Amino acid sequence: DGGITQSPKYLFRKEGQNVTLSCEQNLNHDAMYWYRQDPGQGLRLIYYSQIVNDFQKGDIAEGYSVSREKKESFPLTVTSAQKNPTAFYLCASRRGTGRNQPQHFGDGTRLSIL
Amino acid sequence: DQQVKQNSPSLSVQEGRISILNCDYTNSMFDYFLWYKKYPAEGPTFLISISSIKDKNEDGRFTVFLNKSAKHLSLHIVPSQPGDSAVYFCAASALRGGSQGNLIFGKGTKLSVKP
């Protein structure tokens, strides 16, 4: 089945530690996105990538980093510089970039601080 | 400043009746609007979308209406079912203007459909 796979589903981070969230898609989509959701809030864009080896900062990129070495993979690293990392992280992808298309989401990773 | 607003945090409807979820936006460059449904601890699921060249789009029990002059869209669910109970997010994007079609989300409305 085609889809977007995020792992792990739950992740715990110690103070001062970097952690990496995985996002893989087999939909052959060009664009991929990372969002953060906090309670009672909408989704806020962290980073996005329209093409392999290229990515752009979203609205809340500070304390995060990404890479896009392969079309199907877009891992997100939450660095120790992110002071409030506890949130629900969602990865999404979209087929094309030149026309209006919906984004499709994975099932998310919940990150908590120990 | 919120560009997409869902002013009702929650809505309760009786099974079989109509659910109407509302969304307002401020950016006149938005040309594509979407509704997503989200269950707890899951990712949002795409429901229905509408382009700014239309004022209505229908898919089964779901209809989205767009009023560009009022910068307002609504999602109608008829008839409502208990399985529709979820958080609904409105989102908008603009292909022009440098935003590259990125989605801007509202804060969501929690719909409860009571049997």
Side-chain angles (χ1 to χ4, degrees):
Chain A
D1 274 3
I4 302 169
T5 302
Q6 290 188 241
S7 62
K9 193 164 182 66
Y10 300 95
L11 187 58
F12 298 92
R13 192 191 92 169
K14 294 180 181 178
E15 294 284 350
Q17 186 181 48
N18 293 354
V19 290
T20 297
L21 285 61
S22 170
C23 178
E24 304 277 332
Q25 55 98 359
N26 60 5
L27 301 166
N28 199 32
H29 284 177
D30 295 305
M32 296 187 74
Y33 305 82
W34 274 105
Y35 292 90
R36 168 182 172 138
Q37 187 190 15
D38 294 283
Q41 300 292 318
L43 280 64
R44 292 184 292 167
L45 183 63
I46 304 172
Y47 267 99
Y48 64 100
S49 168
Q50 308 266 16
I51 194 170
V52 175
N53 291 324
D54 187 50
F55 48 83
Q56 308 292 333
K57 291 182 179 180
D59 300 319
I60 54 166
E62 186 175 349
Y64 300 97
S65 66
V66 294
S67 63
R68 185 91 186 273
E69 297 176 2
K70 298 185 294 183
K71 186 175 186 177
E72 58 270 23
S73 179
F74 192 40
L76 173 74
T77 296
V78 184
T79 74
S80 57
Q82 172 49 244
K83 298 306 178 190
N84 186 21
T86 298
F88 190 51
Y89 290 87
L90 287 157
C91 177
S93 70
R94 188 176 74 158
R95 183 190 305 273
T97 58
R99 52 182 293 210
N100 286 320
Q101 296 271 1
Q103 292 179 19
H104 298 275
F105 286 81
D107 276 341
T109 293
R110 183 164 297 281
L111 175 62
S112 302
I113 301 304
L114 290 176
Chain B
D1 185 31
Q2 274 189 274
Q3 295 186 66
V4 177
K5 298 179 185 178
Q6 295 178 256
N7 291 319
S8 298
S10 63
L11 174 68
S12 184
V13 171
Q14 206 68 31
E15 181 180 6
R17 306 295 289 268
I18 184 171
S19 294
I20 300 177
L21 296 100
N22 293 304
C23 179
D24 297 295
Y25 62 95
T26 58
N27 189 342
S28 57
M29 296 289 284
F30 287 148
D31 57 7
Y32 185 55
F33 304 88
L34 309 89
W35 284 95
Y36 284 86
K37 173 182 179 181
K38 186 181 181 301
Y39 294 119
E42 293 184 9
T45 301
F46 169 68
L47 267 180
I48 191 169
S49 63
I50 187 167
S51 166
S52 60
I53 62 173
K54 296 186 175 181
D55 55 19
K56 176 182 174 181
N57 189 26
E58 193 171 352
D59 184 1
R61 296 187 298 116
F62 301 93
T63 303
V64 55
F65 295 92
L66 175 63
N67 182 335
K68 283 182 299 212
S69 60
K71 293 191 177 67
H72 176 84
L73 66 155
S74 60
L75 175 68
H76 293 210
I77 306 174
V78 184
S80 301
Q81 299 172 354
D84 295 329
S85 297
V87 176
Y88 288 78
F89 289 99
C90 170
S93 71
L95 268 184
R96 298 162 296 159
S99 64
Q100 300 180 68
N102 290 340
L103 294 181
I104 307 297
F105 284 85
K107 292 187 176 182
T109 296
K110 184 176 182 180
L111 173 66
S112 299
V113 180
K114 301 190 182 308

